[in-house]
Amino acid sequence: MKLNINNISHSYDVEVLHDLKFNLEGYKSIAIIGVSGSGKSTLIRLMSGMEKPTFGNIDINEMNVSSEEYRKKIGFVFQNHNLFPHLSLKRNITLILEKTRNKTKEEAETIALSKLKLLHLSDQVNKLPKNVSGGQAQRASIARALSVDPDIIFLDEPTASLDPILTHEVLTAVEELKGLGKEFIFVTHVLSFVRDFADYVIYMHEGRIHEYGLPSILDSPKTKELKEFMRKVR
Ligand code: ADP
Ligand code: MG
């Protein structure tokens, strides 16, 4: 992945990201870590193009992230599964494919079933989100993100609302996707997953990229803030 963050600042009522400049090339799976409120979700939303920075711009793989071309190439998995509650797991996927990707009913069905199978949900496809476990619902939303065949998959704390067993189940399913040739940008508090899955780590602190590098920075943090963070999360 080629990532160019060009002097972005972002404000809601106050400024929460402060003039980030960051260029990176050659990694496929980037983890963003940091305490609550440090700006991780804001940054990942800006990188996905879902939200526009107050100042500056971001290019990923040589595309401006607000371009239509880029938007077609990404998938996003939210903290809470975000599935339509009144639709089955399968229909949650076929609807997107029919409405946004011009797939026929039959094509949409084939894709939905194959992605749900990949996430080990073949026996749950006709259930409503409320009738499956939190882990299954979150895996269905990963299947939905994959269904549009994105180049990059964003995940913002996909296991934040899950217990440790379901967290493990979901993260194992994500690790199994490694062979698909996709790129990943994700936020998580599960450092064992960062070590296993990320090939690059960005540590956010108070709206800035405070420390960054290979996952080995977790073992020998340079800044006192990352040292302290590592003490608190584990
Ligand atoms: P993190 O994901 O690391 O917890 P966020 O990016 O969600 O951090 O938040 C960074 C800061 O921006 C926090 O102070 C948060 O309260 C604020 N913030 C995030 N989203 C909004 C919003 N939609 N409106 C106002 N403030 C927000
Ligand atoms: Mg967040």
Side-chain angles (χ1 to χ4, degrees):
M1 178 178 336
K2 187 168 181 199
L3 175 62
N4 299 106
I5 296 179
N6 306 312
N7 301 84
I8 59 158
S9 297
H10 198 65
S11 304
Y12 297 108
D13 33 344
V14 294
E15 189 175 276
V16 300
L17 293 182
H18 315 293
D19 197 25
L20 308 192
K21 302 180 251 309
F22 197 72
N23 297 298
L24 187 65
E25 191 168 358
Y27 299 95
K28 293 187 74 74
S29 182
I30 300 170
I32 303 172
I33 61 171
V35 297
S36 265
S38 58
K40 305 180 299 295
S41 293
T42 304
L43 180 61
I44 201 174
R45 284 201 301 269
L46 296 180
M47 292 198 292
S48 73
M50 202 182 312
E51 210 170 319
K52 242 178 121 59
T54 312
F55 294 104
N57 58 70
I58 302 178
D59 292 331
I60 294 185
N61 296 344
E62 322 243 90
M63 286 170 281
N64 189 282
V65 298
S66 34
S67 67
E68 193 54 33
E69 180 194 16
Y70 175 79
R71 295 293 211 94
K72 294 257 176 206
K73 295 199 160 93
I74 66 144
F76 203 103
V77 177
F78 298 88
Q79 187 160 333
N80 297 308
H81 61 70
N82 231 41
L83 298 167
F84 295 114
H86 59 294
L87 299 178
S88 70
L89 301 190
K90 184 174 77 183
R91 188 63 187 139
N92 260 283
I93 298 175
T94 57
L95 186 71
I96 304 281
L97 293 170
E98 289 166 29
K99 300 294 176 210
T100 75
R101 307 292 154 137
N102 293 318
K103 300 288 183 196
T104 65
K105 256 179 142 39
E106 293 71 27
E107 288 168 337
E109 168 108 5
T110 305
I111 296 169
L113 292 177
S114 82
K115 299 310 173 200
L116 287 163
K117 183 171 179 206
L118 195 62
L119 276 299
H120 311 295
L121 290 166
S122 290
D123 50 352
Q124 311 289 326
V125 300
N126 293 315
K127 291 192 181 167
L128 293 177
K130 70 169 168 25
N131 295 330
V132 300
S133 74
Q136 288 170 328
Q138 198 51 296
R139 281 189 278 133
S141 74
I142 295 168
R144 182 174 62 175
L146 277 175
S147 70
V148 298
D149 195 25
D151 292 342
I152 308 174
I153 298 171
F154 291 89
L155 305 110
D156 187 3
E157 294 197 51
T159 63
S161 58
L162 303 178
D163 68 34
I165 304 286
L166 295 183
T167 293
H168 180 76
E169 173 195 299
V170 168
L171 296 180
T172 303
V174 176
E175 285 195 41
E176 288 172 6
L177 304 178
K178 217 166 193 170
L180 297 179
K182 309 280 181 204
E183 299 179 312
F184 295 87
I185 299 179
F186 61 96
V187 176
T188 186
H189 287 297
V190 183
L191 292 184
S192 57
F193 180 67
V194 174
R195 293 175 201 277
D196 287 349
F197 192 66
D199 57 8
Y200 201 86
V201 179
I202 290 174
Y203 169 66
M204 298 282 299
H205 178 72
E206 295 182 354
R208 294 192 167 83
I209 295 177
H210 196 76
E211 198 168 333
Y212 51 85
L214 301 180
S216 57
I217 65 168
L218 303 179
D219 302 317
S220 45
K222 287 194 184 68
T223 61
K224 71 173 189 324
E225 289 80 9
L226 180 53
K227 271 180 202 154
E228 195 167 322
F229 176 78
M230 293 302 297
R231 258 206 314 276
K232 282 181 190 156
V233 277
R234 228 162 234 257

